[in-house]
Amino acid sequence: MFEYFLGEFALAEGKQGGQLYTPRSIVELLVNMLEPYQGRVFDPCCGSGGMFVQSEKFVEEHQGRISDISIYGQESNQTTWRLAKMNLAIRGIDSSQVKWNNEGSFLNDAHQDLKADFIIANPPFNVSDWSGEQLRGDARWQYGALTSKTSGEGDIRKRLITDGNLIDCIVNLPAKLFLNTQIPAALWFMNRNRAGMDIGGHMGTTGGANDVRANNHLLPRHPRPHEILFIDARNLGHLINRRTRELSHDDIQKIADTYHAWRTADPSPSVGARCTRPDDAVDATGADAILPYGDVRGFCASVPISRVAELDYVLTPGRYAGLPDEEDDFNFPERFAALKAEFEAQLQEEEALNRAIVESLARVKV
């Protein structure tokens, strides 16, 4: 009930509501892709705590143990922080590590010594004065930082790939999903386990407008360390009102299952294979089976890093997934025969009309 009213309040507030609330379908998608079964979950700009609530729901729905995960968060708006504490308290979730200070996690990180297993966040949109000049030497920006006096997004993308090999997956979202902007955003998933490090991590971020990260040292060695998965989900979702779109459960499942299939060790089959994990596909134990991954034009593509380098490290999924194949059920001989018969019938009708006109004119007395 609290979550429902929180969502309705955020919808009514519009752009201001986006500062405290990440839409449920986006949070659900992030959590379903990251699968935080156990470990420490951190949100450095936690708003009203939706990421934490959905993480615990995920564990419960998959017969996990709530005690296997612990949450850590930080919020700079005191009113929003109080909403988060209330949101967690009514669900019996320990919020002792959800901290508040008015500087925010950039300038006053309340969890400097935390080694998180999953970092999931939706940072504020379009904030130009975020004190970037004061953070130029901060280790969190080892691959570069954008400030009001610098540019260089391309250089940062390149270093994230060439120096860190961190980019795991990019998901382009439909427009109108967020309350405080109608532009399409992208989810970025970063994984420190790609390089095969023992302390590997998994990170996911909403790019362009948002940011989500995660890391999981329990993951096996990454099966595709030299590829990046691009998912173009711009055509998914449905409008719930004139200004707001929402992803359905099937949409979320389609995207998450594609990522999980890609993360398996099986090599990619031919282009056009299905990317989904249907409910009726089960293994010998009765659990959901993951079908082998395959590129689907217009939706998903697994791209070698060498190809990304050729395109100057552009990370736009549509550039790699391409346009969907149009279903062509046009039968030319059948259609030609139908048109020919229609045309012949029209010629016969024209001939009859011409005869009738001539006969009528012949009866006219001048």
Side-chain angles (χ1 to χ4, degrees):
M1 186 63 72
F2 181 85
E3 186 176 12
Y4 168 78
F5 282 115
L6 196 60
E8 290 299 306
F9 170 74
L11 276 172
E13 288 291 298
K15 290 187 177 182
Q16 294 300 316
Q19 297 178 8
L20 62 92
Y21 179 78
T22 301
R24 179 204 55 79
S25 65
I26 297 174
V27 178
E28 187 176 338
L29 173 59
L30 290 168
V31 171
N32 274 268
M33 291 183 72
L34 295 176
E35 298 186 313
Y37 286 108
Q38 60 182 18
R40 294 172 292 273
V41 179
F42 177 46
D43 185 345
C45 40
C46 66
S48 56
M51 302 288 187
F52 303 136
V53 171
Q54 192 60 46
S55 294
E56 300 229 348
K57 280 184 181 178
F58 176 86
V59 173
E60 289 177 336
E61 289 170 358
H62 291 78
Q63 291 76 51
R65 295 183 300 178
I66 294 298
S67 59
D68 284 344
I69 68 171
S70 53
I71 63 171
Y72 298 79
Q74 185 167 344
E75 174 57 40
S76 61
N77 184 302
Q78 190 174 39
T79 300
T80 305
W81 171 73
R82 287 172 174 167
L83 283 173
K85 299 284 277 189
M86 186 185 305
N87 195 11
L88 299 173
I90 62 178
R91 291 172 168 81
I93 300 174
D94 178 17
S95 64
S96 60
Q97 293 301 320
V98 178
K99 307 292 187 180
W100 166 80
N101 62 56
N102 57 16
E103 296 113 319
S105 56
F106 279 170
L107 297 178
N108 187 358
D109 186 358
H111 300 285
Q112 292 187 33
D113 298 324
L114 173 66
K115 294 186 181 298
D117 298 298
F118 299 91
I119 308 174
I120 311 178
N122 172 18
F125 283 59
N126 302 324
V127 176
S128 57
D129 185 19
W130 58 278
S131 305
E133 294 293 344
Q134 301 179 45
L135 297 165
R136 297 181 72 86
D138 193 299
R140 291 173 293 180
W141 279 267
Q142 62 175 299
Y143 299 108
L146 298 178
T147 71
S148 58
K149 298 180 180 179
T150 66
S151 59
E153 298 93 332
D155 292 336
I156 296 174
R157 291 196 302 267
K158 179 178 179 180
R159 292 189 62 191
L160 285 169
I161 295 171
T162 59
D163 297 355
N165 193 15
L166 294 173
I167 307 297
D168 211 34
C169 175
I170 306 286
V171 180
N172 247 19
L173 296 175
K176 300 184 178 182
L177 281 182
F178 290 91
L179 302 177
N180 52 346
T181 180
Q182 300 219 346
I183 65 172
L187 304 181
W188 286 44
F189 292 85
M190 303 183 192
N191 188 347
R192 294 180 64 195
N193 195 55
R194 286 171 60 87
M197 298 180 292
D198 293 337
I199 58 169
H202 190 141
M203 304 171 359
T205 87
T206 50
N210 271 356
D211 197 345
V212 184
R213 301 180 178 83
N215 100 24
N216 186 351
H217 63 277
L218 301 174
L219 290 171
R221 185 177 180 85
H222 199 291
R224 303 174 191 268
H226 305 297
E227 298 176 38
I228 298 173
L229 177 63
F230 293 94
I231 299 177
D232 190 348
R234 289 176 296 175
N235 293 325
L236 300 184
H238 59 278
L239 289 172
I240 59 174
N241 59 42
R242 185 173 56 86
R243 296 178 303 168
T244 310
R245 185 176 292 272
E246 185 176 74
L247 295 173
S248 69
H249 175 74
D250 289 343
D251 294 333
I252 292 169
Q253 213 52 48
K254 178 178 182 179
I255 298 169
D257 286 349
T258 298
Y259 181 55
H260 298 154
W262 182 79
R263 288 295 309 276
T264 65
D266 298 329
S268 299
S270 60
V271 170
R274 294 163 62 194
C275 290
T276 55
R277 175 172 52 181
D279 293 337
D280 58 355
V282 295
D283 60 20
T285 66
D288 284 350
I290 300 178
L291 295 180
Y293 169 82
D295 290 349
V296 174
R297 276 193 61 82
F299 178 66
C300 61
S302 182
V303 181
I305 289 177
S306 58
R307 175 58 178 159
V308 177
E310 289 174 7
L311 295 181
D312 202 22
Y313 299 96
V314 170
L315 298 179
T316 305
R319 186 75 175 268
Y320 302 98
L323 297 173
D325 292 325
E326 296 292 337
E327 293 186 9
D328 187 4
D329 56 356
F330 182 76
N331 187 319
F332 179 77
E334 181 180 313
R335 182 61 175 155
F336 179 77
L339 289 172
K340 183 173 179 288
E342 183 181 350
F343 181 60
E344 290 173 345
Q346 289 173 348
L347 288 176
Q348 292 174 2
E349 184 179 357
E350 180 190 18
E351 185 178 353
L353 288 172
N354 287 336
R355 284 198 304 266
I357 292 171
V358 171
E359 291 173 359
S360 296
L361 289 174
R363 291 195 294 269
V364 174
K365 296 181 179 180
V366 179

